[in-house]
Every structure is written in structure tokens, then in C-alpha cells.
């Protein structure tokens, strides 16, 4: 058991030992930090999107009960459905608000304080959920879901910033991809605790809705023992000594000259400049291709059809004769498959590279979904075809986890220098969360109109993203931020090197 003195020795202010540990264990504090960030960061997103279907019957019954207490008659069924739909969808709106603030809070207060504030928001939402039944107020559930959304939107963006700004270049892909692992872990956890034998019962549903308060409290306490990100300290605050100490504590290395020189170059280019605004990112030629890379294959991942696949999975399972009471356990199996694939991706990303994993991943997803569309169209020709469709679903999920899911989290951390990164994450979050809201609101109508052919829309997106990644986006594996900007400047200016702007993103010495 870890005693108090040894736990306190984890604090960045503790004495640094000159003896360098074995390389296999050298970055253990960095790995521990990724766990702490994941628990209160992307894990919250996974758990919120996965368990919400479990208490649907109980929450709708509660809405009807409170309506009768107030007005003396049951709520109209269509009104009840509308309230429930908004309870589900308001998470995306809250996440968008959180993503918008991810461009200002981490700049003003730092990455660490922004996450601590974010945890307070999640704990406040949990209290609203717990006491909603006592107060006979479904409005408290609505407000709680909005605050959870804010927590997810802000937390996911700052989580990625924190990882990207604290990791050495050879581990940056793996470290930022741990955010996707925690999304998958959150999905599986939400599906497990949502079953009626655990927390999906009529008595337990308020506590199920409040469950995100637990990881928020855990991160709030443990994050206090970790330093602010080294790049924020050096580049934004000019605290070279504080940055060096943070690097030494996290990496357990003394030879930090290359990393500090890279941060010094970036700071010199940004000296005297304020953090860039969203308008700057949208209008500046010097980040045009980074912006396209951020929005098309990364933030637009909602349009690859993975949510549609989850929707259709249950219909295919029914056609294969799977009993209704077993559906939830199959959903856990799907979530576990995605988690395993993402975990495997974390070991491949710094070997195969971002470009190949995402590019070929989207290509294979498009081809497999095209085949799935054909098989769904001829499902009545043979009793074996539904089983083939189940296999295709698991294939798409594996490909998604191995490529687009993980890389869409890791790649944005490589694309922008310090001054541009917060506003870039605002744009990424806006596209991602509004995309999720639109898909959630409109997907039912698309399915009703197109049936299984709705997958062709997602095939078009996947093939287009694959072509964009493979033909245009440079590889970022193992490169410093400045080297990556040099590669993108060749696209931003092509043959007009003399026109490269003297901005914080210029990499010319």
C-alpha cells in the first residue's frame, strides 16, 4: 500500500533523483498522468453517451409523475417523448458550450486549473441528478445533463491539450490516443452499470445519472499532485525553470536540451503575440491545411457512420434470432470490441503513423459499409446472411477502433503551435458536437427515407476522408511541432515560400 510520504513524493516539487531509471520505466509518471486525465476527461464522454438509454423508462415515468403532481393529469405521450429526446440531446449542446470555452479558460487559468474547474461542474451536475427525484423536478435532470455536456466538451479538449503538451515527440501519438481508450472504457463501463441488475433499476436510476460525479471527484483530488503542462509554462508564461522542473518530474530525464530548444523557438515566434482567436484560425492562410485536416477527417468523425452502425446492429441481431433480453449484453460485446481495437491502435500509432492508420482505416470502413449495404439489401435470400452482417458489423467496429477513432483524437495535438491550439480545439469541438447533435436529431428521418441505403452517405464521407488523408496530409509521427509546421507550410504556400507570413506559425529562422 502506498504510504503518505511516498504519495507526497509524487508531487512535482519533490527532490529529483539524478540516477535515471531504466527506459522501460522512465515515463511511468507520464503514464500515471494519462490515467488521471482520462478518468476525468474522455472517460466522462464515453460513460455519458452509453448508459443514457438504460434509465429511459424510469425517467419518462418520473416525468409523467411530476407532471401529474403539478397539473393533476398525465403528460401527453408526444410531450413526454419530446422531453426525453431533449434530455438526451442537450448533452451535445452543453458539450458545444464547453468546447467554446476551451479556447479561453485554459489560456487564462492554465490547463490544470481549467480541468479542476471542470470537475466542480461535473460534481454540481451529479448533485442535481441525485436530488431531482426528491425535489420532483425533471428540470434538474435537464440542467444536470447540460452541465455534464459542458464538462465533457471542455474536458475532452483540455485533456488532449494536456497530453500533447506534456509528452515527448516519440510518445505523443500514444499518449494522446489514450483519450480514445478511455472513451471506449467509458462506453463499456456505462453499458455494464446500466443493466438492471446493477444500476438500471427503478430505485437506482438517480444514482446512475449521477455516476459521473465519482470520476470527477477522483480527478479533482489526484490532479493536484501533477504539474501544469511544460509547454504552457514555457511558451505562454515564460517560466523556463518551472517548465524544466515539470519535464524532469514527468519524464525523469536531465537531458532536456532538444525539447527546451524547440519550445524556445516556438516562444520566440509567438513573442509579443496574443493567443490566436477562432477568427484567426479560420481566416489565416498559414494554418489553412491544418484547419482542413482538423475538420474533415478528425472533427467530422461523427459522419463516418459508426452511430448508424450501432443503431442497425440491434435490428440485425433480431433478424439472427437473438432474444431481446440478450441485446444489452451484445451491446457490451460491441463496446468491448471497440475498446480492444483502440488499445491495439495505441501500440501501432507511433510505428505505422497517423496518416496510414487513419487513411487506410477510412478506406476499409467505406468498402466494408458498402458491402454491408449490399448484404442488407439481399438479407432475405438466405438465412445465413444475417450472420454475415453481424460479422461485417464487428469488422467495421474493429477498423474504426484501429484507425479513425484513435487517430482523430491523437492527430489534432500535432497540428498547431501553442498560440493557435486552444482556438483550434474550439473549432474542432464545435464541428464534433454540433455534428453529433445533427446526426442524433436527423438520423431517424434519414433511416426512414433511405433504409439501409443511408450507409451510402457515410461511405461517401469515409472514402473522401481516406483520399484527403492519403494524398494531402503529411505524416507527423516522430516530428517536433516546428518540423510539422514546416511540412504544412509547403501546402499552405506551395511554390510561394517568399510569401510565408511572419507570424507565430512561421517556422523560417
Amino acid at each position: 500500500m502506498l504510504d503518505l510520504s511516498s504519495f507526497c513524493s509524487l508531487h512535482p516539487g519533490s527532490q529529483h533523483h539524478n540516477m535515471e531509471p531504466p527506459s522501460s520505466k522512465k515515463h511511468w509518471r507520464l503514464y500515471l498522468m494519462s490515467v488521471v486525465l482520462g478518468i476525468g476527461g474522455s472517460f466522462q464522454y464515453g460513460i455519458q453517451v452509453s448508459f443514457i438509454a438504460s434509465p429511459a423508462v424510469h425517467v419518462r415515468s418520473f416525468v409523467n409523475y411530476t407532471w401529474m403532481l403539478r397539473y393533476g393529469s398525465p403528460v401527453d405521450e408526444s410531450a413526454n417523448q419530446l422531453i426525453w429526446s431533449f434530455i438526451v440531446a442537450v448533452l451535445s449542446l452543453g458539450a458545444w458550450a464547453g468546447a467554446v470555452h476551451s479556447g479561453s479558460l485554459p489560456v487564462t487559468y492554465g490547463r490544470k486549473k481549467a480541468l479542476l474547474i471542470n470537475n466542480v461542474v461535473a460534481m454540481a451536475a451529479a448533485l442535481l441528478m441525485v436530488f431531482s427525484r426528491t425535489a420532483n423536478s425533471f428540470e434538474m435532470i435537464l440542467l444536470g445533463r447540460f452541465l455534464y455536456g459542458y464538462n465533457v466538451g471542455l474536458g475532452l479538449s483540455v485533456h488532449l491539450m494536456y497530453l500533447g503538451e506534456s509528452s515527448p515527440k516519440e510518445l505523443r501519438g500514444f499518449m494522446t490516443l489514450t483519450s480514445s481508450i478511455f472513451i471506449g472504457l467509458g462506453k463499456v463501463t456505462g453499458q455494464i452499470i446500466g443493466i438492471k441488475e446493477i444500476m438500471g433499476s427503478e430505485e437506482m436510476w438517480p444514482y446512475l445519472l449521477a455516476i459521473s460525479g465519482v470520476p470527477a471527484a477522483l480527478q479533482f483530488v489526484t490532479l493536484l499532485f501533477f504539474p501544469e503542462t511544460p509547454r504552457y509554462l514555457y511558451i505562454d508564461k515564460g517560466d523556463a525553470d518551472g517548465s524544466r522542473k515539470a519535464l524532469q518530474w514527468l519524464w525523469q530525464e536531465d537531458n532536456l536540451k532538444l525539447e527546451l530548444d524547440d519550445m524556445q523557438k516556438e516562444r520566440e515566434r509567438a513573442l509579443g503575440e496574443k493567443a490566436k482567436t477562432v477568427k484567426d484560425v479560420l481566416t489565416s492562410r498559414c494554418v489553412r491545411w491544418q484547419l482542413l485536416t482538423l475538420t474533415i477527417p478528425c472533427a467530422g468523425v461523427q459522419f463516418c457512420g459508426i452511430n448508424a452502425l450501432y443503431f442497425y446492429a440491434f435490428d440485425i441481431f433480431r433478424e439472427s434470432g437473438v432474444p431481446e433480453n440478450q441485446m444489452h449484453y451484445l451491446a457490451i460485446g460491441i463496446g468491448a470490441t471497440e475498446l480492444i481495437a483502440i488499445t491495439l491502435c495505441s501500440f501501432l500509432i507511433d510505428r505505422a503513423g497517423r496518416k496510414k492508420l487513419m487513411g487506410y482505416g477510412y478506406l476499409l470502413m467505406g468498402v466494408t459499409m458498402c458491402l454491408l449495404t449490399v448484404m442488407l439489401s439481399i438479407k432475405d435470400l438466405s438465412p445465413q446472411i444475417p450472420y454475415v452482417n453481424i460479422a461485417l458489423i464487428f469488422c467495421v467496429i474493429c477498423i474504426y477502433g484501429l484507425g479513425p477513432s484513435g487517430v482523430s483524437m491523437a492527430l489534432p495535438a500535432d497540428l498547431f503551435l501553442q498560440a493557435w491550439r486552444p482556438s483550434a480545439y474550439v473549432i474542432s469541438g464545435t464541428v464534433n458536437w454540433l455534428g453529433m447533435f445533427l446526426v442524433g436529431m436527423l438520423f431517424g428521418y434519414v433511416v426512414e427515407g433511405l433504409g439501409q441505403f443511408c450507409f451510402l452517405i457515410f461511405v461517401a464521407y469515409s472514402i473522401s476522408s481516406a483520399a484527403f488523408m492519403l494524398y494531402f496530409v503529411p505524416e507527423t509521427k516522430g516530428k517536433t511541432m516546428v518540423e510539422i509546421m514546416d511540412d504544412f507550410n509547403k501546402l499552405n504556400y506551395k511554390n510561394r515560400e517568399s510569401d510565408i507570413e511572419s507570424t507565430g506559425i512561421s517556422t523560417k529562422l
Side-chain angles (χ1 to χ4, degrees):
M1 182 177 292
L2 191 68
D3 61 25
L4 183 61
S5 62
S6 64
F7 185 63
C8 290
S9 71
L10 295 179
H11 195 277
S14 62
Q15 184 71 28
H16 177 70
H17 296 282
N18 291 326
M19 184 178 293
E20 187 172 278
S23 59
S24 60
K25 299 179 180 179
K26 185 168 59 176
H27 296 110
W28 70 270
R29 287 175 176 170
L30 196 62
Y31 301 142
L32 182 60
M33 186 189 74
S34 73
V35 173
V36 171
L37 292 174
I39 288 171
S42 58
F43 179 83
Q44 299 281 48
Y45 166 61
I47 203 169
Q48 282 295 323
V49 298
S50 65
F51 77 69
I52 192 60
S54 299
V57 174
H58 307 306
V59 174
R60 293 185 65 175
S61 176
F62 173 69
V63 169
N64 189 56
Y65 172 73
T66 56
W67 197 277
M68 287 187 68
L69 283 180
R70 296 176 190 179
Y71 306 109
S73 61
V75 65
D76 183 72
E77 181 61 28
S78 60
N80 198 339
Q81 176 61 40
L82 181 63
I83 292 170
W84 169 248
S85 297
F86 197 65
I87 287 173
V88 174
V90 76
L91 181 84
S92 299
L93 297 180
W96 177 46
V100 168
H101 282 147
S102 69
S104 55
L105 281 177
V107 175
T108 306
Y109 300 105
R111 282 49 165 163
K112 180 176 176 177
K113 286 183 180 178
L115 285 179
L116 294 175
I117 293 169
N118 199 41
N119 289 323
V120 174
V121 173
M123 289 186 279
L127 290 175
L128 287 171
M129 296 300 192
V130 167
F131 293 108
S132 61
R133 183 165 58 184
T134 305
N136 289 321
S137 172
F138 63 82
E139 292 87 355
M140 291 173 68
I141 298 176
L142 278 167
L143 179 58
R145 281 283 288 178
F146 181 84
L147 291 178
Y148 273 147
Y150 184 93
N151 168 263
V152 166
L154 177 61
L156 193 57
S157 295
V158 182
H159 179 183
L160 292 169
M161 287 185 213
Y162 215 121
L163 289 172
E165 294 173 13
S166 301
S167 306
K169 63 180 182 180
E170 66 271 13
L171 287 176
R172 194 169 61 235
F174 170 79
M175 293 299 295
T176 50
L177 197 140
T178 59
S179 60
S180 287
I181 294 176
F182 276 96
I183 289 177
L185 184 61
K187 286 180 180 180
V188 174
T189 303
Q191 288 164 343
I192 292 173
I193 65 174
I195 63 177
K196 61 182 179 181
E197 292 85 355
I198 301 180
M199 297 186 75
S201 64
E202 186 174 358
E203 288 299 316
M204 293 295 292
W205 68 261
Y207 304 101
L208 175 62
L209 294 179
I211 197 67
S212 285
V214 176
L218 188 60
Q219 187 188 73
F220 185 89
V221 173
T222 53
L223 193 60
L224 295 173
F225 294 92
F226 289 85
E228 179 57 86
T229 71
R231 298 187 78 86
Y232 175 80
L233 290 172
Y234 197 122
I235 299 170
D236 288 67
K237 295 299 182 183
D239 184 2
D241 188 54
S243 176
R244 184 182 295 104
K245 288 180 180 178
L247 284 172
Q248 287 175 335
W249 185 79
L250 285 170
W251 297 6
Q252 300 194 78
E253 290 182 17
D254 288 322
N255 186 14
L256 301 166
K257 186 176 185 304
L258 289 176
E259 183 69 18
L260 292 170
D261 286 349
D262 183 58
M263 287 192 280
Q264 177 61 25
K265 289 177 184 177
E266 192 172 333
R267 176 169 169 76
E268 286 173 357
R269 285 159 178 75
L271 203 60
E273 294 187 8
K274 297 180 180 178
K276 302 299 181 181
T277 65
V278 170
K279 182 180 178 181
D280 292 331
V281 179
L282 291 173
T283 58
S284 296
R285 179 172 183 169
C286 53
V287 290
R288 182 176 299 170
W289 280 91
Q290 292 95 312
L291 180 62
L292 290 172
T293 306
L294 182 74
T295 52
I296 297 173
C298 295
V301 73
Q302 295 287 347
F303 301 105
C304 76
I306 195 68
N307 292 327
L309 203 68
Y310 274 96
F311 177 86
Y312 254 99
F314 291 97
D315 287 338
I316 295 171
F317 291 153
R318 289 188 188 97
E319 291 166 4
S320 303
V322 178
E324 286 289 334
N325 61 354
Q326 300 296 316
M327 292 291 181
H328 201 85
Y329 300 100
L330 275 172
I332 295 174
I334 291 176
T337 301
E338 184 180 338
L339 175 60
I340 293 169
I342 294 170
T343 305
L344 182 58
C345 178
S346 69
F347 295 102
L348 295 174
I349 190 166
D350 284 316
R351 292 175 174 83
R354 286 72 154 156
K355 181 187 180 105
K356 289 181 180 178
L357 276 179
M358 179 172 264
Y360 289 116
Y362 271 131
L363 182 62
L364 289 174
M365 276 189 75
V367 171
T368 309
M369 282 193 290
C370 204
L371 181 59
L372 180 61
T373 302
V374 173
M375 299 304 289
L376 286 170
S377 302
I378 61 172
K379 62 187 177 183
D380 297 325
L381 295 182
S382 170
Q384 279 74 43
I385 289 180
Y387 297 99
V388 175
N389 291 337
I390 290 177
L392 288 172
I393 285 176
F394 277 90
C395 283
V396 175
I397 290 169
C398 285
I399 296 167
Y400 172 74
L402 281 170
S405 176
V407 182
S408 65
M409 292 293 179
L411 186 59
D414 296 344
L415 297 177
F416 294 90
L417 295 181
Q418 196 78 6
W420 302 77
R421 191 173 294 118
S423 292
Y425 274 106
V426 171
I427 296 170
S428 175
T430 298
V431 174
N432 184 51
W433 295 112
L434 292 184
M436 182 177 176
F437 181 76
L438 289 173
V439 169
M441 294 295 290
L442 300 177
F443 180 66
Y445 299 103
V446 174
V447 172
E448 187 177 341
L450 297 178
Q452 70 270 17
F453 295 102
C454 69
F455 282 108
L456 295 179
I457 298 172
F458 306 125
V459 167
Y461 168 82
S462 297
I463 299 295
S464 300
S465 294
F468 180 83
M469 282 297 299
L470 294 172
Y471 283 100
F472 296 108
V473 179
E475 180 56 73
T476 63
K477 178 187 71 171
K479 296 180 181 178
T480 67
M481 298 293 184
V482 173
E483 289 169 343
I484 293 168
M485 292 309 108
D486 274 330
D487 288 340
F488 272 103
N489 272 342
K490 294 173 184 176
L491 290 171
N492 291 326
Y493 299 99
K494 294 186 178 177
N495 297 322
R496 301 172 58 188
E497 289 192 12
S498 61
D499 292 341
I500 291 180
E501 300 174 26
S502 300
T503 65
I505 204 158
S506 172
T507 62
K508 298 293 179 184
L509 292 173

